[in-house]
Amino acid sequence: MTFVASDALGREVSAYVDHLRVERGLSANTLAAYGRDLQRYGAWLRSRGVDDPQAITGDTLEAYATSLRSPGPGEPILAPASIARMLAAVRGLHRFWAIEHVTTDDLARYVTPPKATRRLPKALSVDEVQRLIAAAGADSDSPLTTSSQLCDVALTELLYGTGARISEIVALDVDDLERALSDPTMGLRLIGKGDKERLVPLGSYARAAVEAWLVRGRPALAGRAVRATPALLLNERGGRLTRQSAFNRIRAAAMRAGIAAEVSPHSLRHSYATHLLDGGADVRVVQELLGHASVTTTQIYTLVTVDHLRDVYQEAHPRARDADRHRARVD
């Protein structure tokens, strides 16, 4: 992500992005998101004649926040979560400038991000996950025979079996699986956000799917590559499978499985966490498995579980059913 470096504003924004990349070790995707948000902020400032950080005031920041909450004619209406993310990027920028003495004051305090609506993650049922995996291994006409189908099954089993982010799975190399495949007691090493490492168990279904892919599927696709790659999952040309291609494959499998809900690789991560908590796993353990920095992020899944328990109670408890029938008679 590049910025206009011909003025002080562009140079200082670039310095902050470099800090995020080098000092904080943010991932490429996170850096890209910060870059887009800060480019928008920089463009807004320049449109009002501000090209130097020292010329920004609290009133300037309040006006920018207002412009996000109340866009002008023809401008898209932003979701509260998007506004919160954009303002968080601006707050971080101004804190950095204050620490580095680019500005004499930390203007971040003038920005109050909106309280984003807490959306419950959408998890698939166990039956839907099983149907999805089965559909990943077969197109509409033929059984599991092709290399690509073996790759799709390995992809789906890894996503659901480890709860990993799709970026973590497509980044895996063949060598990364050696320890987990040779010894079932060893975990799979994943590199998460901020280059943080964690070990997650690799279940028998995921292990079997990966072994089948490595033995019966990957060699054929690897032979199509212009140059050799260490990547675990490959596309039809023998190159590393991309996030977008993985998304398309999961979505296609969901359609074949007849799943009406929108399904993505992240749906399997949500399902992994929800099913673990439904099964009695401690939220702290799930936090470690997911690689969340804070347990607060993981606790949103407990809300899903509470809803599930309430539904089970309504269906299964005699007095709950009696109460429903009583209300029906009253109505």
Side-chain angles (χ1 to χ4, degrees):
M1 186 65 63
T2 57
F3 296 88
V4 178
S6 58
D7 55 32
L9 181 64
R11 289 193 295 273
E12 298 302 342
V13 171
S14 293
Y16 176 56
V17 174
D18 288 341
H19 163 76
L20 295 177
R21 179 187 302 109
V22 177
E23 300 297 329
R24 293 182 54 185
L26 298 187
S27 69
N29 293 325
T30 303
L31 283 171
Y34 268 95
R36 288 190 296 270
D37 293 340
L38 294 176
Q39 274 193 330
R40 179 179 183 133
Y41 179 49
W44 184 89
L45 290 171
R46 291 192 182 90
S47 71
R48 283 149 182 81
V50 179
D51 59 5
D52 190 319
Q54 295 187 21
I56 303 172
T57 66
D59 290 339
T60 308
L61 276 175
E62 288 178 347
Y64 179 64
T66 299
S67 74
L68 295 178
R69 298 185 183 105
S70 303
E75 296 180 345
I77 297 175
L78 298 172
S82 298
I83 297 173
R85 188 199 68 235
M86 292 176 180
L87 293 181
V90 172
R91 285 165 62 88
L93 174 68
H94 280 280
R95 288 196 193 98
F96 175 77
W97 281 349
I99 293 171
E100 295 296 314
H101 304 293
V102 175
T103 58
T104 58
D105 192 12
D106 179 7
L107 299 179
R109 69 178 186 274
Y110 291 99
V111 182
T112 303
K115 183 172 285 188
T117 303
R118 202 174 207 194
R119 293 181 299 172
L120 295 180
K122 296 180 180 178
L124 301 174
S125 68
V126 174
D127 176 69
E128 286 174 327
V129 171
Q130 292 173 338
R131 284 159 48 200
L132 179 67
I133 294 172
D139 61 27
S140 56
D141 300 315
S142 61
L144 175 59
T145 55
T146 70
S147 297
S148 292
Q149 289 166 345
L150 286 166
C151 181
D152 290 354
V153 173
L155 166 68
T156 311
E157 288 281 13
L158 280 171
L159 287 169
Y160 179 61
T162 65
R165 302 174 180 91
I166 185 57
S167 57
E168 296 168 348
I169 293 298
V170 297
L172 287 172
D173 292 336
V174 174
D175 290 347
D176 295 330
L177 274 293
E178 181 178 357
R179 182 174 63 174
L181 291 178
S182 62
D183 185 352
T185 65
M186 303 298 292
L188 173 63
R189 175 175 166 270
L190 295 173
I191 308 297
K193 292 184 177 180
D195 289 334
K196 293 181 180 178
E197 296 184 13
R198 69 185 189 279
L199 286 175
V200 298
L202 188 66
S204 59
Y205 286 94
R207 185 180 296 107
V210 170
E211 289 175 339
W213 155 244
L214 289 175
V215 174
R216 294 162 42 207
R218 190 181 183 281
L221 291 186
R224 301 180 184 179
V226 176
R227 60 171 60 90
T229 174
L232 172 66
L233 301 177
L234 306 179
N235 57 32
E236 284 81 357
R237 298 181 303 278
R240 184 182 295 272
L241 191 69
T242 65
R243 293 175 59 200
Q244 186 59 47
S245 180
F247 177 89
N248 292 337
R249 291 181 179 210
I250 295 296
R251 183 168 56 181
M255 293 178 64
R256 291 196 298 271
I259 300 173
E262 183 71 23
V263 178
S264 70
H266 219 63
S267 302
L268 291 167
R269 179 171 164 86
H270 292 326
S271 304
Y272 170 87
T274 302
H275 297 167
L276 279 174
L277 289 168
D278 281 345
D282 183 84
V283 67
R284 291 284 183 179
V285 174
V286 178
Q287 175 196 355
E288 291 296 324
L289 291 172
L290 292 177
H292 286 160
S294 170
V295 73
T296 303
T297 308
T298 315
Q299 283 174 335
I300 191 171
Y301 292 103
T302 65
L303 301 178
V304 180
T305 302
V306 169
D307 286 343
H308 172 69
L309 293 176
R310 186 181 299 113
D311 291 340
V312 171
Y313 169 76
Q314 293 289 347
E315 291 293 327
H317 197 282
R319 300 300 284 178
R321 294 199 301 270
D322 290 344
D324 288 340
R325 285 194 289 270
H326 175 70
R327 282 193 297 269
R329 287 196 298 271
V330 172
D331 293 341

